[in-house]
Every structure is written in structure tokens, then in C-alpha cells.
Amino acid sequence: MTLGTSTEPTAHAQSGGTGTVPSGLNWAAVQQALHAKVGEDDYRVWLSSLAVDKVSGEGLTLSVPTSFIQDWIERNYRDVLTETVHAEIGVTLPIRISVVPVFANLKAPAQVAAAPAAAPEEAVAEDASWTQSLRLDPRYTFASFVEGKSNQFAYAAARRVAEEGPQPGFNPFFLHGGVGLGKTHLMHAIGAEVMARRPKARVLYLSSEQFFNRFVRALRDRNTLTFKDSLRGVDVLMVDDLQFIAGKDATQEEFFHTFNFLTENGKQIILSADRSPHELPNVEDRLKSRLGSGLTVQVHAPEVETRLAILQKKAEDLRLDLPGEVLTLLATTIASNVRELEGALNRLVAASRLMGSELTTDFAREQLADLFRLHTRVVTVDDIQKAVADHFKLRLADMGSPRRAREVARPRQVAMYLCKTLTSKSYPDIGRAFGGRDHTTVIHAVETIEALVTKDAELAENVRILNALLGGKA
Ligand code: ADP
Ligand code: MG
């Protein structure tokens, strides 16, 4: 058995219980009872690394750091474990023990897998259950990350941290931004890159919940290694979604010191949150300023070109040949977050396969009607001026400037035309928004563009693209 694989569910001893898990599983009480039953030494060696991985309607999943310990528990402590959990919560649950490696990249030492009867010391060598890393998602790499204006800085900084190791100005590296914007993706990418470059480096990636649960456990349980000591072997520590540390102030002092200890010892710390360090709720000022003392980078919502590029990449990765209009439609409509964008693409592809329908924009509108309703926003004159200036590589100020040169005047007319067709603004309103021009100028612009789109293919194409970008009917 190799590290990183989990066992199939075993010992599904069903009793008269309902099968539903009571919400308040007191794991500390289970640990205490186990400790009392098996004795100090056996507990410390074999059972102290057991941690709750997941409690759900299907049962309880516990984790251990190595398959050796997993195997030993299965063979020697399975019954006492089932009994003890049963006694604590009053129903018998399927209990599953999975292996979560100590470090994301720690390979099974050959002798452990080959010799299950090895001396206990070998098993406890890695016994500090809180240092179990979550697995890194192999899909989240730098190669699969699409760069754009919104995430350029975050991407470049992440690469630098991964490639060059801890540097004073980059530690901690703090990534923040709204949900679904690629923070976790970048953290995993850093992990993967560090491991590829330095196979011996130890990368520890945890959710903030796990981090703090383990932290608290380490503080409470004097038998385990101290928090700091157990971090000695870590080269890169990543804690995701730090906003959840809110309210755990009793541990903040210790966290602060641990944090200093790590950075002073040349360890790279990478953190993420949905907001910047100084906006974290219930965090002491001293800790806030420490968290923000390295490089803090915000990931922004991707602009439409990036959204389109992301969709194209996902479609390529899935070997899907999707019509450009459909991708454009999704990219222009779903603006807030990449996860949603991906979800929409998946939904659409599934629906078209299921129904054997061709993937057209009409089909997309029909299938994703709920999303479209949610995301259809009102286009403003501002949006139009920005989009047009961007598209024609002009400055936003050119929209309102008195310049009459053709390369500025024509795009300005396009923008006025779009304002008339995509918003409910009147001619005088539009004129005012374009540097206080007269309403007759706007009428003239609208008529000019209307005439030109029937004759000038290039202009027509530009108008079509802008229309699509702004969320009008393609
Ligand atoms: P966050 O952690 O910021 O909430 P995630 O990293 O989980 O967001 O990203 C959500 C989804 O969107 C993931 O599947 C991720 O791969 C994808 N994603 C986000 N940004 C990008 C990007 N720039 N390029 C490719 N995929 C992205
Ligand atoms: Mg995340």
C-alpha cells in the first residue's frame, strides 16, 4: 500500500442507530477514553495521530499520517475504536481510516511499506498528526492558470515565491480576493512547483480550520510535540482561507510567536483570505501587521478577455470543440467568479450531451436561463466608454476630449452609438457624458455608425465584438 491512498470503508457495524451522526462528536472525549483503555505508551505510539477528517451522514472518516499506522490500527485497535466512538455518541457508525500524508510530497519510506512489523519508533518518527497536509490538486498548476490583468501580479509573485524560495520581502506571501478567483489554485501551483524543483522540500498545505484545530490540539496536549517543534521540518507552510481564524483569539499569541519563529528560520509562509490582513475580523493588531509584513497581493475578478481565455483553455483541456459565440456569451455574462464560469461551462456541456443537442447560443441561453437572469446587468455609459477605449487602445479621456482626429472620433462615435442602443439614455444625456457635446452630434454619430456597419466589414466586426463584450445580443 502506498501513502496517499485510503482504505475502502471497513467494519460497517450497523446497530439499531439511525445512521445519522450526532452533530456534537466530542473527539477529545474519544481520545481520552482510548487513552484510558490502551494505556499511555500504546496510545502515544499508535492512536495519538488519529484525527477527525470528516463527519457526515455516511459515517466518520479518521485520518492517520502513514499507511503503516493505518494498518496497525486496523489490525489491533479497530474494535476498541468502534466501541469507544459508539460509547461516546450513542450510535454505531461506519468508521473509515484514511491516510493523509504528513507532507504533501512525502513518499512512503520503502521500509515502512515493506515491513509492517517494524519497530514503533519508525512509525512515530512522523507522528505529529497536525502536520498532515491536505493533498494538492494536481490540476492546479501554473501551466493551467490563465494570466490576465486581474491576476498578473499575483501570478508573477506566486511564481517568484515558488522558484526562488523565501526572500525577505516576500514572506509571508499573502493572497487575498473574493471567492473563486484562483487563490487556492495559485497556492497549489506554488506547492507543485516547489516540489518539482526541490523534491526534498516539505510543503504543508492546510485549510485554516485544520491549521487552527491542530494548533489548539497541540497547545492543549502536552504529550505531543510543541507546535513550533513539529514545524521544524516544514519548508513551505500554506494556510488557506485565513478569514476563518476569526474568534480564535486565545491562540493568537502563540500563533504570532510561531509565525515569527518560522520566518526567522527561513521558512516560507503563504496565506490566503477573502480580505486583506488588516481587514481580518477579530485579529489583534499586532498579528494583523505581522501577517501583512511581507508581500500582500490582491487577486481581482478577471476582465472579460481573461474570462474568455479561461473558458478556451478549459474547453481545450476537456478536448471540447465549442463555438466561439457560446464561449463569448458565457464570458460576457458571467463576470463575477471563475468557479461559476467553469460550472456554467460544465453544465452546458453535460446538458448538450444528455439531450444530444447542438451547442448553440440559443441552447446556452435556454439551459443557463437562471444564471443569465442573475448576471444580466444594466450596461452603463461608463462601461461602454471603458470597453470602447480599451478595444481601440485609446485613453478613457479620449471619449470626452475635443480631439477630432479620425482614430479618436470614429471610436467615440461607436461608443455613442452603443450608448443609444444598449442604454435608455437620451441624446442630450449621451452628449453630456461625452465631454458636453450637443445632442445633434450624438444623432449624427448614431446615423453614421448605422450606415457604416452595412458597408464597412471591419467596423461591423468591431461593433459586434463590443456588443458581445457589453452583454448585448451577439
Ligand atoms: P479561490 O480559492 O480564490 O476561491 P479557486 O482557486 O478555488 O478560487 O478557483 C476556483 C476555480 O476557478 C478553480 O477550479 C480554478 O482552477 C479556477 N480558476 C480561477 N482562476 C483561474 C485562472 N486564472 N485560470 C484558470 N483557472 C482559474
Ligand atoms: Mg480557495
Side-chain angles (χ1 to χ4, degrees):
M1 188 181 294
T2 52
L3 274 184
T5 56
S6 46
T7 53
E8 288 307 303
T10 45
H12 289 212
Q14 287 290 354
S15 73
T18 59
T20 52
V21 184
S23 50
L25 169 64
N26 183 346
W27 183 242
V30 172
Q31 285 177 307
Q32 240 172 31
L34 282 172
H35 190 266
K37 282 182 193 169
V38 305
E40 167 72 25
D41 288 350
D42 284 355
Y43 177 80
R44 190 173 54 80
V45 173
W46 301 113
L47 300 173
S48 62
S49 67
L50 267 174
V52 177
D53 204 43
K54 204 173 120 207
V55 187
S56 77
E58 279 122 54
L60 177 64
T61 308
L62 302 173
S63 67
V64 290
T66 68
S67 56
F68 181 52
I69 296 183
Q70 175 199 40
D71 201 48
W72 195 275
I73 295 176
E74 289 291 1
R75 286 193 284 140
N76 299 284
Y77 297 107
R78 168 52 81 174
D79 292 344
V80 70
L81 185 63
T82 311
E83 256 170 49
T84 311
V85 171
H86 177 102
E88 171 59 28
I89 62 179
V91 290
T92 305
L93 290 175
I95 299 177
R96 177 190 149 106
I97 301 174
S98 65
V99 177
V100 178
V102 174
F103 296 102
N105 59 334
L106 191 71
K107 297 281 183 329
Q111 75 276 19
V112 169
E121 288 77 19
E122 286 192 32
V124 287
E126 323 164 338
D127 177 11
S129 60
W130 70 269
T131 54
Q132 293 163 22
S133 176
L134 286 177
R135 247 161 270 164
L136 297 179
D137 189 324
R139 291 167 308 167
Y140 294 168
T141 60
F142 284 125
S144 66
F145 192 84
V146 176
E147 255 189 286
K149 263 189 233 152
S150 55
N151 58 35
Q152 230 161 27
F153 188 26
Y155 177 85
R159 278 214 91 110
R160 176 113 183 242
V161 165
E163 287 166 11
E164 292 177 24
Q167 297 163 70
F170 286 67
N171 208 2
F173 178 40
F174 196 110
L175 271 169
H176 67 99
V179 293
L181 299 184
K183 300 183 298 295
T184 297
H185 187 136
L186 282 175
M187 290 174 102
H188 286 219
I190 295 173
E193 185 69 27
V194 168
M195 289 182 208
R197 285 169 177 264
R198 294 183 287 147
K200 293 224 171 80
R202 291 185 162 185
V203 175
L204 181 62
Y205 168 81
L206 297 169
S207 72
S208 75
E209 209 180 0
Q210 282 175 315
F211 181 73
F212 282 94
N213 285 344
R214 291 167 192 193
F215 189 16
V216 171
R217 186 149 35 106
L219 290 180
R220 194 186 50 209
D221 187 349
R222 301 289 166 194
N223 290 326
T224 60
L225 300 169
T226 70
F227 196 62
K228 275 194 237 174
D229 286 339
S230 20
L231 276 167
R232 274 183 206 283
V234 181
D235 296 298
V236 180
L237 171 67
M238 301 196 265
V239 185
D240 206 349
D241 287 320
L242 211 62
Q243 66 271 18
F244 297 123
I245 76 171
K248 309 206 170 169
D249 38 287
T251 58
Q252 285 187 25
E253 169 83 12
E254 190 64 29
F255 181 48
F256 181 78
H257 292 303
T258 303
F259 196 94
N260 289 342
F261 167 84
L262 286 172
T263 45
E264 280 157 19
N265 283 275
K267 320 288 190 181
Q268 176 72 51
I269 299 178
I270 304 169
L271 307 165
S272 88
D274 66 355
R275 61 203 89 182
S276 73
H278 62 267
E279 292 167 321
L280 288 170
N282 306 322
V283 172
E284 289 165 19
D285 287 345
R286 185 168 71 141
L287 184 53
K288 276 183 194 168
S289 77
R290 194 71 187 83
L291 294 174
S293 65
L295 179 67
T296 301
V297 179
Q298 183 171 5
V299 198
H300 299 274
E303 58 292 334
V304 68
E305 295 88 342
T306 311
R307 300 201 294 274
L308 192 57
I310 290 172
L311 284 174
Q312 276 160 348
K313 184 154 187 114
K314 304 271 167 193
E316 256 168 48
D317 291 350
L318 297 169
R319 299 190 195 299
L320 296 169
D321 187 19
L322 297 177
E325 304 94 72
V326 172
L327 296 183
T328 308
L329 177 66
L330 291 181
T332 50
T333 317
I334 301 165
S336 50
N337 109 38
V338 182
R339 188 174 293 130
E340 239 173 29
L341 198 59
E342 275 182 13
L345 179 68
N346 291 337
R347 239 176 88 182
L348 201 56
V349 171
S352 94
R353 287 195 179 149
L354 218 63
M355 300 179 197
S357 318
E358 202 189 327
L359 239 175
T360 60
T361 47
D362 282 345
F363 183 75
R365 280 184 206 283
E366 196 182 294
Q367 288 305 314
L368 302 176
D370 53 336
L371 278 179
F372 282 116
R373 264 197 304 281
L374 205 69
H375 287 280
T376 309
R377 58 191 180 103
V378 181
V379 182
T380 65
V381 171
D382 258 14
D383 295 335
I384 294 171
Q385 292 185 334
K386 271 196 201 113
V388 171
D390 252 26
H391 184 74
F392 290 102
K393 312 233 172 339
L394 301 173
R395 291 170 311 136
L396 185 56
D398 289 330
M399 291 292 118
S401 83
R403 287 179 62 199
R404 286 158 183 261
R406 168 71 75 86
E407 69 271 17
V408 181
R410 189 67 87 220
R412 194 187 290 130
Q413 288 181 320
V414 169
M416 291 182 192
Y417 163 82
L418 289 169
C419 287
K420 191 61 205 160
T421 52
L422 297 178
T423 75
S424 54
K425 294 276 185 250
S426 66
Y427 289 118
D429 282 346
I430 297 171
R432 268 191 290 281
F434 284 79
R437 285 180 159 75
D438 191 72
H439 74 279
T440 53
T441 308
V442 183
I443 294 173
H444 175 68
V446 173
E447 286 171 359
T448 305
I449 300 302
E450 273 170 355
L452 277 177
V453 290
T454 62
K455 298 187 270 208
D456 180 339
E458 195 186 322
L459 185 88
E461 180 61 11
N462 283 330
V463 170
R464 193 189 65 77
I465 292 170
L466 281 163
N467 235 321
L469 290 180
L470 289 161
K473 300 251 180 214

